[in-house]
Amino acid sequence: QVQLMESGGGLVQAGGSLRLSCAASGSIASVGVMAWYRQAPGKQRELVANIGGGGDTMYADSVEGRFTISRDNDRNTIFLQMNSLKPEDTAVYYCNAAIRDRFTYRLLGHWGQGTQVTVFS
């Protein structure tokens, strides 16, 4: 069974920084695109950033220049470095990954449980 575990969320003052981590584990044959999403109260879940297997990255306009997504393929882990945080960044941040199962060889999307990020002014 494949699982994703996020960590690194917390309470931070506006202008501060946080670094989120997401580690994939279980019956993994390979990991493709991985991404960070976020969902604020009363809002739809939105894509924050994604990163391909080769390291190509894309960012939402709202975080461009402030957030950086990266990955460690040896550890099946991605990171989200968040700088210059704003109150509007407050949300639950979710990890998503396209993972090919070791036994079934099916490529499926998986979600983590989410980690809360709260930015106060």
Side-chain angles (χ1 to χ4, degrees), residues 5 16 30 32 35 77 87 94 102-103 106 111 113-116 119:
M5 183 177 69
S30 61
T77 300
Y94 297 91
R102 174 185 173 189
F103 301 107
R106 296 176 66 193
W111 289 98
Q113 294 298 308
T115 184
Q116 177 71 47
V119 184

Side-chain angles (χ1 to χ4, degrees), residues 38-46 90-92 94 116:
R38 67 186 182 187
Q39 188 166 24
K43 303 292 185 179
Q44 294 186 3
R45 189 171 298 186
E46 64 173 344
T90 295
V92 177
Y94 297 91
Q116 177 71 47

Side-chain angles (χ1 to χ4, degrees), residues 46-116:
E46 64 173 344
L47 177 66
V48 176
N50 61 26
I51 182 166
D56 296 329
T57 60
M58 297 183 67
Y59 298 91
D61 290 342
S62 59
V63 307
E64 183 75 50
R66 299 187 297 119
F67 292 9
T68 302
I69 188 170
S70 60
R71 67 190 292 161
D72 182 343
N73 290 330
D74 292 335
R75 299 175 180 177
N76 293 323
T77 300
I78 60 167
F79 307 92
L80 186 67
Q81 179 66 47
M82 304 185 294
N83 298 325
S84 302
L85 283 162
K86 305 174 181 179
E88 50 262 44
D89 294 319
T90 295
V92 177
Y93 283 71
Y94 297 91
C95 180
N96 179 267
I99 299 174
R100 190 173 299 280
D101 187 86
R102 174 185 173 189
F103 301 107
T104 69
Y105 240 71
R106 296 176 66 193
L107 184 66
L108 299 175
H110 297 268
W111 289 98
Q113 294 298 308
T115 184
Q116 177 71 47

